[in-house]
PDB file of all heavy atoms in Angstrom:
ATOM      1  N   MET T 334     -87.628  74.373 170.909  1.00  0.00           N
ATOM      2  CA  MET T 334     -88.822  73.749 171.494  1.00  0.00           C
ATOM      3  C   MET T 334     -88.546  72.317 171.944  1.00  0.00           C
ATOM      4  O   MET T 334     -89.442  71.636 172.433  1.00  0.00           O
ATOM      5  CB  MET T 334     -89.963  73.727 170.455  1.00  0.00           C
ATOM      6  CG  MET T 334     -90.328  75.078 169.879  1.00  0.00           C
ATOM      7  SD  MET T 334     -90.853  76.228 171.142  1.00  0.00           S
ATOM      8  CE  MET T 334     -92.464  75.569 171.543  1.00  0.00           C
ATOM      9  N   ARG T 335     -87.331  71.856 171.729  1.00  0.00           N
ATOM     10  CA  ARG T 335     -86.980  70.452 171.995  1.00  0.00           C
ATOM     11  C   ARG T 335     -87.936  69.499 171.255  1.00  0.00           C
ATOM     12  O   ARG T 335     -88.348  68.468 171.778  1.00  0.00           O
ATOM     13  CB  ARG T 335     -86.989  70.155 173.499  1.00  0.00           C
ATOM     14  CG  ARG T 335     -85.879  70.893 174.255  1.00  0.00           C
ATOM     15  CD  ARG T 335     -84.506  70.299 173.865  1.00  0.00           C
ATOM     16  NE  ARG T 335     -83.406  71.057 174.462  1.00  0.00           N
ATOM     17  CZ  ARG T 335     -82.695  71.995 173.821  1.00  0.00           C
ATOM     18  NH1 ARG T 335     -82.950  72.303 172.557  1.00  0.00           N
ATOM     19  NH2 ARG T 335     -81.707  72.609 174.417  1.00  0.00           N
ATOM     20  N   ALA T 336     -88.277  69.914 170.016  1.00  0.00           N
ATOM     21  CA  ALA T 336     -89.175  69.089 169.206  1.00  0.00           C
ATOM     22  C   ALA T 336     -88.413  68.009 168.449  1.00  0.00           C
ATOM     23  O   ALA T 336     -89.013  67.116 167.861  1.00  0.00           O
ATOM     24  CB  ALA T 336     -89.939  69.964 168.218  1.00  0.00           C
ATOM     25  N   LEU T 337     -87.089  68.118 168.444  1.00  0.00           N
ATOM     26  CA  LEU T 337     -86.276  67.118 167.747  1.00  0.00           C
ATOM     27  C   LEU T 337     -85.432  66.345 168.752  1.00  0.00           C
ATOM     28  O   LEU T 337     -84.962  66.898 169.738  1.00  0.00           O
ATOM     29  CB  LEU T 337     -85.348  67.792 166.733  1.00  0.00           C
ATOM     30  CG  LEU T 337     -85.967  68.290 165.433  1.00  0.00           C
ATOM     31  CD1 LEU T 337     -84.958  69.123 164.647  1.00  0.00           C
ATOM     32  CD2 LEU T 337     -86.458  67.127 164.574  1.00  0.00           C
ATOM     33  N   ASP T 338     -85.276  65.067 168.470  1.00  0.00           N
ATOM     34  CA  ASP T 338     -84.401  64.238 169.293  1.00  0.00           C
ATOM     35  C   ASP T 338     -83.788  63.199 168.351  1.00  0.00           C
ATOM     36  O   ASP T 338     -84.210  63.049 167.202  1.00  0.00           O
ATOM     37  CB  ASP T 338     -85.222  63.558 170.406  1.00  0.00           C
ATOM     38  CG  ASP T 338     -84.324  62.988 171.507  1.00  0.00           C
ATOM     39  OD1 ASP T 338     -83.086  63.132 171.422  1.00  0.00           O
ATOM     40  OD2 ASP T 338     -84.878  62.376 172.450  1.00  0.00           O
ATOM     41  N   PHE T 339     -82.804  62.492 168.834  1.00  0.00           N
ATOM     42  CA  PHE T 339     -82.202  61.450 168.006  1.00  0.00           C
ATOM     43  C   PHE T 339     -81.756  60.326 168.925  1.00  0.00           C
ATOM     44  O   PHE T 339     -81.704  60.476 170.149  1.00  0.00           O
ATOM     45  CB  PHE T 339     -81.009  62.008 167.223  1.00  0.00           C
ATOM     46  CG  PHE T 339     -79.751  62.101 168.048  1.00  0.00           C
ATOM     47  CD1 PHE T 339     -78.708  61.191 167.881  1.00  0.00           C
ATOM     48  CD2 PHE T 339     -79.620  63.084 169.019  1.00  0.00           C
ATOM     49  CE1 PHE T 339     -77.561  61.281 168.653  1.00  0.00           C
ATOM     50  CE2 PHE T 339     -78.475  63.166 169.807  1.00  0.00           C
ATOM     51  CZ  PHE T 339     -77.448  62.266 169.620  1.00  0.00           C
ATOM     52  N   GLY T 340     -81.442  59.180 168.299  1.00  0.00           N
ATOM     53  CA  GLY T 340     -80.957  58.054 169.093  1.00  0.00           C
ATOM     54  C   GLY T 340     -81.163  56.751 168.352  1.00  0.00           C
ATOM     55  O   GLY T 340     -81.432  56.746 167.147  1.00  0.00           O
ATOM     56  N   GLU T 341     -81.013  55.667 169.081  1.00  0.00           N
ATOM     57  CA  GLU T 341     -81.242  54.336 168.510  1.00  0.00           C
ATOM     58  C   GLU T 341     -82.746  54.207 168.221  1.00  0.00           C
ATOM     59  O   GLU T 341     -83.587  54.525 169.080  1.00  0.00           O
ATOM     60  CB  GLU T 341     -80.768  53.287 169.520  1.00  0.00           C
ATOM     61  CG  GLU T 341     -81.273  51.875 169.291  1.00  0.00           C
ATOM     62  CD  GLU T 341     -80.677  51.195 168.079  1.00  0.00           C
ATOM     63  OE1 GLU T 341     -79.443  51.277 167.903  1.00  0.00           O
ATOM     64  OE2 GLU T 341     -81.434  50.600 167.292  1.00  0.00           O
ATOM     65  N   LEU T 342     -83.084  53.717 167.033  1.00  0.00           N
ATOM     66  CA  LEU T 342     -84.490  53.644 166.614  1.00  0.00           C
ATOM     67  C   LEU T 342     -85.343  52.855 167.613  1.00  0.00           C
ATOM     68  O   LEU T 342     -86.437  53.292 167.995  1.00  0.00           O
ATOM     69  CB  LEU T 342     -84.583  53.014 165.211  1.00  0.00           C
ATOM     70  CG  LEU T 342     -85.985  52.823 164.650  1.00  0.00           C
ATOM     71  CD1 LEU T 342     -86.711  54.143 164.488  1.00  0.00           C
ATOM     72  CD2 LEU T 342     -85.932  52.096 163.308  1.00  0.00           C
ATOM     73  N   ALA T 343     -84.828  51.724 168.064  1.00  0.00           N
ATOM     74  CA  ALA T 343     -85.600  50.885 168.984  1.00  0.00           C
ATOM     75  C   ALA T 343     -85.891  51.646 170.284  1.00  0.00           C
ATOM     76  O   ALA T 343     -87.008  51.565 170.826  1.00  0.00           O
ATOM     77  CB  ALA T 343     -84.835  49.597 169.275  1.00  0.00           C
ATOM     78  N   ASP T 344     -84.906  52.409 170.768  1.00  0.00           N
ATOM     79  CA  ASP T 344     -85.105  53.186 172.008  1.00  0.00           C
ATOM     80  C   ASP T 344     -86.139  54.289 171.806  1.00  0.00           C
ATOM     81  O   ASP T 344     -86.996  54.519 172.658  1.00  0.00           O
ATOM     82  CB  ASP T 344     -83.777  53.825 172.456  1.00  0.00           C
ATOM     83  CG  ASP T 344     -82.758  52.777 172.854  1.00  0.00           C
ATOM     84  OD1 ASP T 344     -83.173  51.620 173.078  1.00  0.00           O
ATOM     85  OD2 ASP T 344     -81.557  53.114 172.917  1.00  0.00           O
ATOM     86  N   LEU T 345     -86.047  54.977 170.665  1.00  0.00           N
ATOM     87  CA  LEU T 345     -86.995  56.061 170.388  1.00  0.00           C
ATOM     88  C   LEU T 345     -88.413  55.521 170.286  1.00  0.00           C
ATOM     89  O   LEU T 345     -89.371  56.144 170.744  1.00  0.00           O
ATOM     90  CB  LEU T 345     -86.616  56.794 169.093  1.00  0.00           C
ATOM     91  CG  LEU T 345     -85.321  57.611 169.108  1.00  0.00           C
ATOM     92  CD1 LEU T 345     -85.063  58.234 167.736  1.00  0.00           C
ATOM     93  CD2 LEU T 345     -85.379  58.717 170.153  1.00  0.00           C
ATOM     94  N   ARG T 346     -88.544  54.347 169.680  1.00  0.00           N
ATOM     95  CA  ARG T 346     -89.882  53.741 169.554  1.00  0.00           C
ATOM     96  C   ARG T 346     -90.440  53.367 170.920  1.00  0.00           C
ATOM     97  O   ARG T 346     -91.633  53.508 171.175  1.00  0.00           O
ATOM     98  CB  ARG T 346     -89.819  52.504 168.638  1.00  0.00           C
ATOM     99  CG  ARG T 346     -89.764  52.902 167.173  1.00  0.00           C
ATOM    100  CD  ARG T 346     -89.735  51.711 166.258  1.00  0.00           C
ATOM    101  NE  ARG T 346     -89.843  52.133 164.867  1.00  0.00           N
ATOM    102  CZ  ARG T 346     -89.484  51.388 163.832  1.00  0.00           C
ATOM    103  NH1 ARG T 346     -88.980  50.189 164.027  1.00  0.00           N
ATOM    104  NH2 ARG T 346     -89.625  51.857 162.610  1.00  0.00           N
ATOM    105  N   LYS T 347     -89.544  52.873 171.790  1.00  0.00           N
ATOM    106  CA  LYS T 347     -89.983  52.509 173.143  1.00  0.00           C
ATOM    107  C   LYS T 347     -90.475  53.758 173.883  1.00  0.00           C
ATOM    108  O   LYS T 347     -91.471  53.749 174.579  1.00  0.00           O
ATOM    109  CB  LYS T 347     -88.799  51.897 173.898  1.00  0.00           C
ATOM    110  CG  LYS T 347     -89.084  50.462 174.391  1.00  0.00           C
ATOM    111  CD  LYS T 347     -87.908  49.930 175.165  1.00  0.00           C
ATOM    112  CE  LYS T 347     -87.038  49.051 174.305  1.00  0.00           C
ATOM    113  NZ  LYS T 347     -85.792  48.670 174.932  1.00  0.00           N
ATOM    114  N   LYS T 348     -89.741  54.856 173.672  1.00  0.00           N
ATOM    115  CA  LYS T 348     -90.013  56.091 174.403  1.00  0.00           C
ATOM    116  C   LYS T 348     -91.204  56.865 173.840  1.00  0.00           C
ATOM    117  O   LYS T 348     -92.013  57.419 174.580  1.00  0.00           O
ATOM    118  CB  LYS T 348     -88.749  56.954 174.322  1.00  0.00           C
ATOM    119  CG  LYS T 348     -88.605  58.027 175.368  1.00  0.00           C
ATOM    120  CD  LYS T 348     -87.163  58.561 175.297  1.00  0.00           C
ATOM    121  CE  LYS T 348     -87.014  59.871 176.025  1.00  0.00           C
ATOM    122  NZ  LYS T 348     -85.687  60.458 175.802  1.00  0.00           N
ATOM    123  N   TYR T 349     -91.296  56.933 172.494  1.00  0.00           N
ATOM    124  CA  TYR T 349     -92.275  57.839 171.866  1.00  0.00           C
ATOM    125  C   TYR T 349     -93.358  57.150 171.029  1.00  0.00           C
ATOM    126  O   TYR T 349     -94.248  57.813 170.513  1.00  0.00           O
ATOM    127  CB  TYR T 349     -91.547  58.828 170.942  1.00  0.00           C
ATOM    128  CG  TYR T 349     -90.535  59.714 171.631  1.00  0.00           C
ATOM    129  CD1 TYR T 349     -89.180  59.600 171.336  1.00  0.00           C
ATOM    130  CD2 TYR T 349     -90.920  60.685 172.566  1.00  0.00           C
ATOM    131  CE1 TYR T 349     -88.232  60.419 171.936  1.00  0.00           C
ATOM    132  CE2 TYR T 349     -89.978  61.495 173.181  1.00  0.00           C
ATOM    133  CZ  TYR T 349     -88.637  61.371 172.855  1.00  0.00           C
ATOM    134  OH  TYR T 349     -87.715  62.187 173.453  1.00  0.00           O
ATOM    135  N   GLY T 350     -93.270  55.869 170.805  1.00  0.00           N
ATOM    136  CA  GLY T 350     -94.267  55.193 169.965  1.00  0.00           C
ATOM    137  C   GLY T 350     -93.702  54.847 168.596  1.00  0.00           C
ATOM    138  O   GLY T 350     -92.498  55.027 168.346  1.00  0.00           O
TER     139      GLY T 350
END
Side-chain angles (χ1 to χ4, degrees):
Chain T
M334 304 301 287
R335 293 291 174 261
L337 284 171
D338 195 1
F339 80 105
E341 163 70 46
L342 178 62
D344 295 344
L345 292 178
R346 282 181 173 160
K347 239 182 262 171
K348 201 168 164 188
Y349 299 114

